Amino acid sequence: MISDNFLEKKLHTFFGYTSFKEGQKQIIDSLLKRQSTLGILPTGTGKSLCYQLAGKLLNQTVLIVSPLLSLMQDQVEQLHFIGEKKAIAVTSELSYQHKYFVIHHLREYDYVYMAPEMLQKEEVLEQLKTISLGLFVVDEAHCISQWGPDFRPDYLDLKIIRQKLGNPVTLALTATATPEVEQDICRQLFNENESIKIVRRSVDRPNIFLAAKQVDTQQQKDEYLLEILPQLATPILLYFSSKKKADEISQLLNDRTDLKTAAYHAGLSKKDRYSIQQQFMNDQLDAVCATSAFGMGINKKNIRCVLHYHLPADLESYSQEIGRAGRDGQRSLALLLFNPADIDLQRHLSSNSLPDDGEIEYYFNHKDLINSCLQGSDKKNLLEYYAGRFLTPLKLKQIFKKRRFEREKKLQELIAYVETAKCRRNFLCKYFGEEKKADHNVDCCQPAGQPLVLDNFLLHKPGNNYTKSLEDYRKVISHLFNENKR
Ligand code: ADP
Ligand code: MG
């Protein structure tokens, strides 16, 4: 057994931190005992440090499988920043020569990041086989699960890749996993006879107040935003399910309030996205109107409010997104605006991102053409993945039918969260298979049907444009609320 403060000392030597965050030590301890581990720790709890410190102590190359270019770059930058120069992301951004060099000198790096697609390349795998990996890390491991958000079929091959690499000690990391997703990750990644240590910490973030506000029309939603946003403490992160709406509301806030706001989504150039992200990080923006493209890997400590303008896809995405609030431990607000008409919008988005029967037929009948209407879409990637595994169109139709059904089930759970008249926190914990939390109180959440009192989240800075008294403000809120109840 490692002596009690050995790990603390190393933590301090290598990373300058004085103590571990919850769950980190158990994970590192388990890895040093050469035990494969699944870590389920909420967003912002320092999951990366688990493999970074374990890697240091093992003194062998750590391979990290990560789903997004931006995530990999962010991690590499952070490592470089603290002086860990031997970290690299092997991505399409590298020049051919640079990539070739890295792939043929892997053992010279301490941390190598790759997307699962890169591991499919024979040349990469052959080179990986020649070095002894200290750790095989699967970040954002919910991507493996059919039932997790952000499902990525390429992740399904990681088990085979792992086997080809001689089943190295593995760390799978995710922020949110229902018991079902947890089982799925273990099944899809590990061999049947392997024992896996599971370290799980509650998804609950006690400093985040959970609230939802029902409105009846889109216009009411916008009026409410204009009413409330200038009064709330900043910075604020707003989530939208459409790029167009993110742009519109950003414009509206810039025109009609004093808030300095920008939109962030995949429709912007890389340069613009980077610049907006930097401004937000440096507190030069009060609010960002974003799609789900914004957030993964964004490590801003003082976000005071995460507001959802539209329904997210499911409670996993919701927990991840609201988990970006209050990483400094200060009180923060998670507010979801809910117009029942949004349910159909979300259902449509959810179902539309999966190929339907007609598209499956089209794909198989037009393979020699370039599938013009599917070109470049996620649907085509999904179809390509499955077709490459020799599945018939009939089987594919069954797979996607089942996934649509599962998505609908998750949407229903989300609606149940929005509409619950009981404690929202307990609802979330139960959904993720956790024990009931302490009894509900007014600082915890606002269940449906209860007035929404936001005193704790108002901007009290001198010189702000807040003119109403708290009493007036409360009246406005309860008035709006009662109106909607009618
Ligand atoms: P996650 O992947 O769990 O969302 P990250 O790995 O991105 O979180 O880490 C979030 C932040 O926490 C980073 O800025 C990291 O440097 C910091 N951090 C990690 N471990 C510790 C620790 N033991 N003490 C203080 N800060 C830490
Ligand atoms: Mg992370």
Side-chain angles (χ1 to χ4, degrees):
M1 177 70 193
I2 300 162
S3 84
D4 229 20
N5 49 23
F6 170 81
L7 286 180
E8 273 83 358
K9 278 190 195 140
K10 295 295 174 189
L11 174 72
H12 192 251
T13 311
F14 291 121
F15 296 94
Y17 299 129
T18 45
S19 61
F20 284 104
K21 294 203 194 187
E22 252 198 278
Q24 284 180 328
K25 198 171 172 180
Q26 283 102 311
I27 291 180
I28 295 165
D29 199 39
S30 167
L31 295 174
L32 295 180
K33 288 179 185 144
R34 310 311 281 142
Q35 163 87 58
S36 283
T37 306
L38 166 61
I40 305 169
L41 308 182
T43 323
T45 41
K47 289 187 282 296
S48 310
L49 184 120
C50 299
Y51 63 78
Q52 288 166 355
L53 182 54
K56 278 265 147 224
L57 299 173
L58 292 165
N59 206 15
Q60 280 173 309
T61 303
V62 177
L63 174 71
I64 304 107
V65 184
S66 173
L68 291 177
L69 185 69
S70 59
L71 269 184
M72 291 188 252
Q73 287 171 338
D74 188 58
Q75 297 285 325
V76 170
E77 267 169 35
Q78 285 189 31
L79 282 166
H80 285 179
F81 182 73
I82 60 167
E84 290 296 333
K85 299 293 179 207
K86 292 197 237 160
I88 185 113
V90 184
T91 68
S92 53
E93 299 276 289
L94 297 186
S95 68
Y96 177 79
Q97 288 86 344
H98 193 179
K99 206 188 300 178
Y100 185 89
F101 177 87
V102 176
I103 291 170
H104 289 85
H105 294 83
L106 287 170
R107 59 167 57 80
E108 290 175 23
Y109 295 91
D110 292 340
Y111 306 101
V112 179
Y113 289 84
M114 286 185 196
E117 291 76 11
M118 189 61 74
L119 287 169
Q120 304 273 10
K121 295 188 197 297
E122 208 50 48
E123 188 190 5
V124 173
L125 202 59
E126 284 312 311
Q127 290 303 318
L128 276 169
K129 281 184 195 163
T130 65
I131 62 168
S132 92
L133 281 180
L135 282 175
F136 183 86
V137 180
V138 183
D139 203 4
E140 311 290 349
H142 54 266
C143 292
I144 295 174
S145 170
Q146 299 261 5
W147 319 128
D150 317 320
F151 169 65
R152 282 265 293 271
D154 279 296
Y155 266 77
L156 295 179
D157 289 337
L158 290 180
K159 182 182 194 159
I160 298 169
I161 286 164
R162 218 185 137 241
Q163 285 166 354
K164 289 186 182 162
L165 295 174
N167 294 312
V169 175
T170 295
L171 171 64
L173 291 168
T174 182
T176 39
T178 59
E180 193 183 21
V181 172
E182 174 187 311
Q183 273 182 13
D184 211 24
I185 293 174
C186 290
R187 203 175 38 234
Q188 305 279 13
L189 185 60
F190 299 109
N191 301 309
E192 245 171 58
N193 50 357
E194 279 187 84
S195 81
I196 317 297
K197 165 101 176 158
I198 296 177
V199 178
R200 182 190 261 277
R201 285 291 169 278
S202 174
V203 289
D204 183 34
R205 299 273 305 283
N207 61 318
I208 302 178
F209 184 81
L210 305 170
K213 160 129 190 93
Q214 183 163 340
V215 294
D216 295 327
T217 62
Q218 217 54 26
Q219 194 189 335
Q220 270 184 16
K221 223 187 233 182
D222 295 354
E223 282 166 3
Y224 182 68
L225 275 189
L226 290 174
E227 170 86 46
I228 189 169
L229 282 188
Q231 306 178 54
L232 290 178
T234 55
I236 300 171
L237 179 53
L238 294 96
Y239 275 110
F240 298 79
S241 48
S242 93
K243 297 179 219 166
K244 187 164 162 268
K245 205 70 198 175
D247 280 334
E248 270 174 35
I249 297 296
S250 169
Q251 190 64 48
L252 183 77
L253 294 175
N254 277 322
D255 291 349
R256 304 266 301 273
T257 72
D258 288 341
L259 296 169
K260 199 158 177 274
T261 309
Y264 182 105
H265 49 67
L268 302 178
S269 71
K270 221 159 113 184
K271 193 164 145 269
D272 285 347
R273 270 185 288 167
Y274 184 75
S275 143
I276 290 162
Q277 189 176 320
Q278 288 310 308
Q279 288 177 54
F280 190 60
M281 295 302 281
N282 298 332
D283 288 329
Q284 292 160 329
L285 286 171
D286 299 308
V288 166
C289 295
T291 60
S292 55
F294 188 81
M296 253 212 234
I298 299 253
N299 196 1
K300 184 166 174 60
K301 302 249 187 310
N302 64 338
I303 297 177
R304 291 278 69 88
C305 169
V306 173
L307 186 146
H308 280 73
Y309 185 93
H310 290 127
L311 284 177
D314 47 38
L315 284 170
E316 282 90 336
S317 318
Y318 190 59
S319 307
Q320 293 247 15
E321 285 162 4
I322 64 174
R324 295 186 181 119
R327 289 192 179 186
D328 53 10
Q330 302 292 310
R331 287 190 66 90
S332 309
L333 170 66
L335 177 58
L336 194 152
L337 301 188
F338 174 59
N339 172 0
D342 292 344
I343 297 174
D344 275 340
L345 172 71
Q346 184 51 52
R347 183 174 287 135
H348 178 76
L349 285 172
S350 217
S351 147
N352 229 23
S353 61
L354 296 173
D356 62 25
D357 288 3
E359 285 166 327
I360 295 172
E361 294 284 347
Y362 181 88
Y363 177 83
F364 279 92
N365 292 335
H366 296 80
K367 263 187 154 171
D368 39 346
L369 303 174
I370 36 168
N371 291 302
S372 50
C373 75
L374 291 167
Q375 198 55 36
S377 67
D378 289 348
K379 286 184 197 176
K380 177 153 185 272
N381 296 340
L382 267 178
L383 284 168
E384 232 155 41
Y385 175 84
Y386 283 112
R389 267 98 195 132
F390 308 108
L391 294 177
T392 60
L394 180 66
K395 183 74 192 152
L396 280 190
K397 286 179 193 169
Q398 288 166 349
I399 290 177
F400 290 120
K401 188 172 170 201
K402 190 161 172 229
R403 290 199 52 215
R404 264 198 196 88
F405 177 75
E406 291 293 333
R407 286 190 178 184
E408 177 63 27
K409 226 168 76 182
K410 287 195 179 263
L411 180 60
Q412 291 304 332
E413 301 255 27
L414 175 78
I415 296 164
Y417 165 86
V418 177
E419 292 183 335
T420 186
K422 295 192 185 143
C423 174
R424 297 189 187 281
R425 195 169 301 280
N426 278 319
F427 190 104
L428 272 186
C429 290
K430 198 161 156 221
Y431 179 78
F432 288 107
E434 296 178 17
E435 297 285 300
K436 186 176 181 295
K437 295 282 129 183
D439 284 338
H440 168 77
N441 65 45
V442 286
D443 285 333
C444 153
C445 65
Q446 158 266 1
Q450 303 286 317
L452 182 54
V453 181
L454 297 176
D455 294 14
N456 286 325
F457 310 102
L458 300 181
L459 187 68
H460 291 296
K461 283 200 302 239
N464 65 28
N465 63 350
Y466 178 63
T467 47
K468 292 192 191 88
S469 74
L470 280 187
E471 211 39 55
D472 289 341
Y473 176 69
R474 211 173 280 139
K475 269 186 228 147
V476 173
I477 301 291
S478 60
H479 161 71
L480 279 173
F481 192 83
N482 291 334
E483 194 175 71
N484 296 329
K485 282 279 111 187
R486 261 185 267 136

